[in-house]
Amino acid sequence: MFKDTKAFSGFSVNDTVKAKEFYSTILGLDVRNGIEGILELYIKGSTPVIVYPKPNHIPATFTILNFPVPDVEKAVNQLKAKGVVFESYDLPYFKTDSDNIFRGGGPLIAWFKDPAANIFSVLQE
């Protein structure tokens, strides 16, 4: 039934002005204003992601958006230079290193939060 549909994703933020500034200036995304205060994130090769305002927003406790990059270490350093703070994890089977990068199997990956405290990641292609 849905195999030929162009599905899209969406998530909430508590402040679309701060979110738009972060997504466009820090992450370098093409961010457009949609209807009724909604933001549209245009990411190469995908359907736009919808970001909608929600006054009682509760941040996601899981990764809501992943950005594949050719070099995670370079991406992390570039984002840190722009003031992005990366998450650190120190669990028995899930630890990030001093660079905030998980190197425990699978692709190299690092997590950070947007101004609404939603979790994003950069991961090695």
Side-chain angles (χ1 to χ4, degrees), residues 6-22:
K6 289 190 175 180
F8 64 93
S9 181
F11 59 90
S12 70
V13 296
N14 55 352
D15 186 330
T16 54
V17 173
K18 285 182 183 176
K20 184 176 183 179
E21 177 70 16
F22 180 79

Side-chain angles (χ1 to χ4, degrees), residues 44-109:
K44 182 181 175 181
S46 68
T47 304
V49 175
I50 303 302
V51 180
Y52 55 92
K54 186 175 178 193
N56 60 345
H57 165 75
I58 297 173
T61 58
F62 51 87
T63 308
I64 62 166
L65 201 53
N66 298 285
F67 294 98
V69 295
D71 186 336
V72 165
E73 292 166 341
K74 182 178 178 182
V76 166
N77 289 332
Q78 288 174 334
L79 288 169
K80 283 182 178 180
K82 292 181 176 189
V84 174
V85 176
F86 280 80
E87 299 297 294
S88 293
Y89 298 103
D90 188 15
L91 302 169
Y93 297 100
F94 190 76
K95 294 178 192 257
T96 52
D97 63 16
S98 60
D99 294 323
N100 307 101
I101 298 172
F102 176 73
R103 302 173 194 269
L108 301 181
I109 186 168

